[in-house]
Amino acid sequence: HASGTKVTWHPDPQFFAENVPDVNALKNHFDVIAALCPNLKIIFNYNGEEIVYSEPGGINSYVDRKAKGKELFSNRFVVDRAIGKDALNICLTYTSDYSESIEAYVNLGHTDSGAHIGAFHSAFSSAVNKYAKDVGLLKKSDKSLSNTEISEGLYVVCNITTTSAKYDAQNKSRIDDIDSKIINSVVGGDFATWLMNNPADAKIIVERALQARKVREAAKKATEKIRDAGKVNKKSI
């Protein structure tokens, strides 16, 4: 006999203009949730169409599909670690994109900003800069690589399981506060070790960041030159 829990939801007309779900949003959500929960199978039925979402290989297989054809790493960073009641499942790589992509979930709920992403950026930046200076890719006297420089092409998918998260609103898309101990441990520890064990991939991070720095400095000089020329032209009028 079938067993389990059945949940039925009816949209309230005072808040929803029409009884039509955002199918694409649901499909995207089920796609990543199946990866974050490798033992879960999601069957989506809508208007006679049935789609089964299942990702036994977890987020590593999910990233295989999402980064296909543009991934720069030969051995991406993948960790599933628990500390006390908290856990972090993370997959990190770099692509040829020029933007950063962080798909961050907290207790399987999608988040777009907050303390957990800030903690990740801080620990990630520290680990990369320490490695770069330790192995000589960055001189001790050089300015540390900024988060903006390091983030070009960074692609991360992660889920944090915790009871410490405090949200800014009911939709829970932003985290105001969180215990970042597990983030610091995984990124400052496991990832720092990964950098040492994967020098070719680690070099990609640093070289991309240095290239981003050169581009930004060149753009800044070009802007300053245009402004200076404008000031000269004004004086000559």
Side-chain angles (χ1 to χ4, degrees):
H1 297 286
S3 63
T5 302
K6 181 178 181 180
V7 178
T8 304
W9 179 79
H10 298 284
D12 191 325
Q14 67 175 315
F15 299 112
F16 297 91
E18 55 183 1
N19 185 8
V20 179
D22 187 337
V23 176
N24 287 331
L26 288 172
K27 288 179 177 179
N28 290 333
H29 181 66
F30 295 151
D31 192 31
V32 71
I33 291 300
L36 294 172
C37 304
N39 296 321
L40 178 67
K41 178 191 287 185
I42 301 172
I43 302 173
F44 179 53
N45 287 289
Y46 185 70
N47 284 347
E49 178 188 25
E50 180 178 288
I51 304 175
V52 177
Y53 295 91
S54 178
E55 197 77 84
I59 56 176
N60 200 35
S61 294
Y62 175 81
V63 172
D64 278 343
R65 294 190 286 109
K66 296 297 181 178
K68 188 175 182 180
K70 58 181 181 179
E71 186 172 14
L72 303 179
F73 279 0
S74 58
N75 182 35
R76 65 180 72 121
F77 174 70
V78 185
V79 165
D80 192 353
R81 182 173 297 284
I83 298 178
K85 294 182 179 179
D86 290 354
L88 174 59
N89 185 16
I90 183 171
C91 181
L92 182 155
T93 190
Y94 267 73
T95 71
S96 55
D97 291 340
Y98 288 98
S99 59
E100 172 189 82
S101 176
I102 297 181
E103 298 182 37
Y105 289 74
V106 175
N107 299 326
L108 299 179
H110 182 259
T111 59
D112 52 32
S113 60
H116 58 316
I117 296 178
F120 167 81
H121 277 147
S122 179
F124 182 73
S125 178
S126 294
V128 171
N129 275 295
K130 183 179 184 307
Y131 171 81
K133 290 186 177 182
D134 284 348
V135 300
L137 292 175
L138 202 63
K139 294 178 182 178
K140 299 290 184 182
S141 58
D142 286 344
K143 181 181 177 183
S144 293
L145 298 167
S146 70
N147 182 65
T148 300
E149 292 163 347
I150 294 174
S151 67
E152 284 196 7
L154 175 64
Y155 181 33
V156 179
V157 180
C158 65
N159 179 60
I160 303 170
T161 303
T162 182
T163 58
S164 70
K166 292 181 175 60
Y167 300 89
D168 77 323
Q170 189 61 36
N171 63 11
K172 297 185 176 182
S173 64
R174 176 181 168 80
I175 303 294
D176 273 350
D177 189 32
I178 196 169
D179 185 347
S180 59
K181 180 169 62 178
I182 193 165
I183 299 172
N184 294 333
S185 177
V186 169
V187 180
D190 296 325
F191 177 68
T193 300
W194 177 92
L195 288 169
M196 295 299 295
N197 293 334
N198 295 272
D201 290 330
K203 190 176 182 181
I204 289 172
I205 300 176
V206 179
E207 288 186 341
R208 283 210 65 175
L210 289 173
Q211 181 61 32
R213 172 174 289 181
K214 289 179 181 178
V215 170
R216 292 177 192 281
E217 289 176 348
K220 183 180 178 180
K221 288 179 181 178
T223 301
E224 290 173 349
K225 187 175 181 180
I226 292 171
R227 286 175 178 168
D228 290 341
K231 290 178 183 178
V232 171
N233 290 335
K234 284 182 180 179
K235 289 180 180 179
S236 62
I237 293 175

